[in-house]
Amino acid sequence: MKTVIIGGVAGGASAAARLRRLDESAEIVMLERGGYISFANCGLPYYIGGAIKEKEKLTLQTPESFKARFNVDVRVLNEAVKINPDTKTVTVKNLNTGEMYDESYDALILSPGAAPIKPNIEGADGSNVFTLRNIPDTLAIKTYIDEKHPKTAVVVGGGYIGVETAENLKEAGLDVTIAEVADHLIAPLDADMAADVHRYIKSKGIKLMLNNGIKAIKGNTAVLNSGEIPADMVLLSVGVRPETQLAKDCGIATNSRGCIITDTHMRTGIEGVYAVGDAVEVRDFVSGAPSFIPLAGPANKQGRIAADNIAGIASEYTGTQGSAVLKLFDMTVATTGLNERTAAAAGIDYDKTFTYSASHASYYPGAMNMSVKALWDKKTLKILGAQIVGFDGVDKRLDVIASAIRFGAKITDLTELELCYAPPFGSAKDPVNMLGFVAENIVTGKVKQFFPEEVASLPRDGSVTLLDVRTDAERARGSIDGFMHIPLDSLRGRISEIPKDRPVYVHCHSGLRSYIACRILAGMGYDCHNLAGGWRLYELVVNERAVPEYRCTE
């Protein structure tokens, strides 16, 4: 049995290694157009910023080491230029010699990946314009910085790679601006959660130009839709497109975006041909919709599944839920599942909530709050997605929620999770438990919510009572127009000041004390609504004003 694999990075290398572990006698040939295999795509920005100091660390395997360990015939700088399904051969060009030859196969795995999108604008091919997708891209950027000593950099696109690269260009000493055509960074985040990221990244000296795409690059100037900014170098990070022309040319079906269509066994419509990784269409695990979610984890799993099926193991890929994490200086941003935009597009009737919980016991030094948002299906209560922005402990909380989604948990099931606790690591009521408690209160009708975007439309004519239950010191730092002030600990003694014949809309800093206020008021017969996320979230979303640090305050 001979298997040819086109592409030697995440999906392809994973498939080759898995196939060898399953079948020691198999003949395996891996063709890679570039000069490197099995390299760490996700580590590339950190070589530019200096966190990774040796370029050799970016290469997880070399052709020689892969051959020694897995007995795979690895051919770098060999480009597959045509697939011939009728003869079960691949036409290959040796990029060193120019030689063309045909390689036969019994099974073929396509793992061509995706290429950075280069906008069709003036100056996009300039010597100071870069994309970041592979090791040669990384070395070109690093060499340019070391030799040309640029002072200013513009990163076009505020996705994961764009934000990571902006951080590392800043660490390399450049004055950095991110230009993003959308209204917020990191598309998997909702705008309200991205507001935390915006405030933090600006505090680190990176400028943001939101709602502002690029029109042209003229020398050392980036011309935006609105304004011009200095740009000794430009990093284009506006997304990727699947590299599937080879597949299309031989009749393999693709979708409107160009992604290869496979079944759950990673088989294409042509017998014996499989496809994996960033080039394939996936099913969104939560919504069930066809999607394009290029991530390393799913690519590796798909490579393994293709190998299983070639070896006779009926393995299936069950979908991608888009779990991802981002380091931004000391901040951590993590997402999984659906956000509000994708939930609405899927036609799901969802609810949401926010919490603001400490990373570990607040009395133990170093506790930092994290902003947590979750969505769930109103009918089934199944968790649809979650987003967390904070510092220490963000990744492990998001991983717990991602696991809960994978196993079909309801939002209320989070109350029952028994998670590790010791003061340096967590709290007896973990942030994941707290998310469940808050959602359970909403689901069971113990509290009603309103959201920051609704505050402006609340009447100020006396038909409702608007109540701020923060302390005097907190109130002095800023308040929402029209909200009367009664600190929580004085509420019972001043209850007569609140009319009982009208709804009460209450807020505190984060939503915790205002929930307590709502329970007091509800117990006395009031109709009370709690501001989800509190004054802190409102100020970030509505006014983008600075708020206190993430140190525990409640």
Side-chain angles (χ1 to χ4, degrees), residues 33 53 63 71 77 150 163 169 189 197 288 328 345 349 364 434 464 514 548:
R33 177 178 60 187
K53 300 190 182 301
N71 190 25
L77 298 174
V163 170
L169 289 171
L189 287 178
V197 180
L328 178 59
D349 185 17
Y364 187 87
M434 291 301 299
V464 301
S514 49

Side-chain angles (χ1 to χ4, degrees), residues 187-445:
L189 287 178
D190 288 316
D192 45 25
M193 293 295 285
D196 257 322
V197 180
H198 297 168
R199 184 182 72 89
Y200 180 76
I201 199 170
K202 287 188 285 189
S203 77
K204 291 296 184 179
I206 294 177
K207 304 178 187 70
L208 295 185
M209 305 286 284
L210 301 175
N211 296 300
N212 209 348
I214 191 163
K215 290 169 59 178
I217 302 163
K218 298 183 177 180
N220 290 358
T221 300
V223 182
L224 305 180
N225 291 334
S226 176
E228 299 181 355
I229 49 177
D232 294 336
M233 64 182 299
V234 176
L235 190 285
L236 298 175
S237 183
V238 296
V240 296
R241 56 170 178 79
E243 291 210 82
T244 54
Q245 192 59 51
L246 185 69
K248 292 177 185 177
D249 288 345
C250 77
I252 292 173
T254 59
N255 65 15
S256 59
R257 191 165 188 164
C259 300
I260 297 170
I261 297 172
T262 71
D263 64 11
T264 57
H265 300 282
M266 309 314 301
R267 296 177 300 208
T268 70
I270 293 181
E271 184 181 356
V273 181
Y274 298 75
V276 303
D278 292 355
V280 305
E281 175 186 275
V282 297
R283 181 180 69 85
D284 186 290
F285 178 79
V286 180
S287 71
S291 301
F292 177 55
I293 309 175
L295 293 170
N300 277 279
K301 293 180 180 70
Q302 292 159 13
R304 179 185 177 94
I305 288 166
D308 281 354
N309 283 282
I310 290 170
I313 301 171
S315 182
E316 293 188 76
Y317 188 67
T318 56
T320 302
Q321 67 190 71
S323 300
V325 66
L326 163 74
K327 171 192 172 296
L328 178 59
F329 299 100
D330 295 325
M331 177 175 270
T332 305
V333 180
T335 65
T336 190
L338 304 183
N339 58 23
E340 292 200 55
R341 176 181 55 81
T342 52
I348 300 173
D349 185 17
Y350 66 89
D351 209 340
K352 62 183 177 180
T353 197
F354 303 83
T355 61
Y356 192 54
S357 300
S359 54
H360 59 251
S362 58
Y363 58 82
Y364 187 87
M368 301 283 278
N369 280 316
M370 61 182 74
S371 299
V372 186
K373 179 179 183 178
L375 278 64
W376 67 90
D377 187 310
K378 285 184 179 180
K379 294 178 182 176
T380 66
L381 301 187
K382 282 192 174 182
I383 308 168
L384 300 173
Q387 305 161 40
I388 308 181
V389 178
F391 297 87
D392 181 55
V394 165
D395 53 339
K396 73 174 183 177
R397 273 54 182 242
L398 198 284
D399 282 341
V400 170
I401 300 171
S403 300
I405 291 174
R406 180 60 61 164
F407 294 117
K410 298 177 181 179
I411 188 71
T412 50
D413 291 334
L414 300 182
T415 64
E416 300 180 20
L417 294 182
E418 186 175 332
L419 304 174
C420 295
Y421 162 59
F425 302 104
S427 302
K429 295 178 181 178
D430 190 85
V432 176
N433 298 133
M434 291 301 299
L435 188 63
F437 295 144
V438 171
E440 184 181 61
N441 287 334
I442 296 163
V443 168
T444 58

Side-chain angles (χ1 to χ4, degrees), residues 11 15 38 41 53 97 132 140 145 167 200 204 220 224 310 322 333 400 404 416 476 479 488 524 526 534 543:
S38 192
N41 292 75
K53 300 190 182 301
T97 65
L132 181 58
I145 292 172
E167 172 199 352
Y200 180 76
K204 291 296 184 179
N220 290 358
L224 305 180
I310 290 170
V333 180
V400 170
E416 300 180 20
S479 62
L488 174 62
M524 296 182 179
Y526 288 84
N543 295 327

Side-chain angles (χ1 to χ4, degrees), residues 106-180:
D106 297 305
L108 177 65
I109 300 175
L110 307 181
S111 183
I117 295 171
K118 225 173 191 183
N120 184 24
I121 58 172
E122 177 186 350
D125 294 320
S127 61
N128 65 335
V129 181
F130 303 89
T131 58
L132 181 58
R133 186 66 178 172
N134 53 37
I135 290 178
D137 291 342
T138 309
L139 299 180
I141 293 170
K142 188 74 164 63
T143 298
Y144 188 86
I145 292 172
D146 291 343
E147 293 181 356
K148 301 296 184 180
H149 308 293
K151 302 297 183 186
T152 58
V154 173
V155 176
V156 181
Y160 281 101
I161 293 297
V163 170
E164 287 173 340
T165 306
E167 172 199 352
N168 282 279
L169 289 171
K170 184 69 177 178
E171 295 282 21
L174 282 76
D175 183 5
V176 181
T177 300
I178 299 175
E180 167 57 54

